[in-house]
Amino acid sequence: MMNKLMASACVSVSLLAATSLAQAGDHKDMHPGVWADDQSVSSGTVTAKKVMADENGWLVVHRTNEDMKPGPVVGHAPLKKGKNKDVAAILTEDVKPGDHLMLMVHSEEGGMKTGVFEYTLGAKEDGPIKMDGKLVQKVITAE
């Protein structure tokens, strides 16, 4: 009886430890970020594998070039707070292979209408989110 009780306690402690380690591993990915790779744009979309957002908002696709500053918006997709997987933004302009695209997290804050993307370059409505003074973004190359 004592051996069964000890074995059960060991299993319980092991499960708790494994759960804690898994949550700790997930926690490091809880900061806002964009995970995406270079990809074909022939379908008229750009997809981020994963986007972490602190609040509801937008994945916004900006053109960029060698200076790596955000340029005009060429697509966007809604984001929910937390982990978003396989976020596809429909491109609103032609993008050619070799073009650089900046996939950036924008807020839902400051706009007049919730759920409507209102940002224009430099505006405060639905503007970019910064973490430690840096834009939350990932630059990819269209293929």
Side-chain angles (χ1 to χ4, degrees):
M1 177 78 167
M2 187 61 131
N3 285 341
K4 283 186 179 180
L5 187 57
M6 292 282 287
S8 178
C10 286
V11 168
S12 295
V13 168
S14 295
L15 288 174
L16 283 172
T19 300
S20 295
L21 286 173
Q23 288 173 346
D26 288 345
H27 184 68
K28 70 179 178 179
D29 288 340
M30 294 303 289
H31 62 283
V34 179
W35 290 261
D37 296 320
D38 296 347
Q39 60 193 270
S40 170
V41 294
S42 62
S43 66
T45 63
V46 172
T47 302
K49 292 186 289 187
K50 180 173 83 170
V51 180
M52 291 297 297
D54 282 345
E55 58 189 77
N56 293 339
W58 305 96
L59 174 66
V60 179
V61 181
H62 291 267
R63 287 190 185 276
T64 190
N65 53 31
E66 289 76 34
D67 68 3
M68 295 299 157
K69 292 186 179 174
V73 173
V74 296
H76 66 277
L79 295 173
K80 65 181 182 184
K81 178 180 179 178
K83 184 191 276 187
N84 297 262
K85 291 182 130 191
D86 300 321
V87 180
I90 296 172
L91 295 169
T92 57
E93 294 181 11
D94 285 338
V95 174
K96 297 180 179 94
D99 287 353
H100 297 291
L101 300 173
M102 182 178 285
L103 284 60
M104 185 184 304
V105 178
H106 280 235
S107 173
E108 176 61 29
E109 293 295 313
M112 299 296 285
K113 298 176 186 169
T114 300
V116 176
F117 183 66
E118 302 173 79
Y119 179 80
T120 55
L121 197 58
K124 294 196 185 323
E125 296 84 7
D126 298 343
I129 291 176
K130 290 187 178 182
M131 181 129 175
D132 299 326
K134 295 180 182 175
L135 295 168
V136 178
Q137 54 84 15
K138 169 75 174 165
V139 175
I140 65 164
T141 302
E143 296 178 341

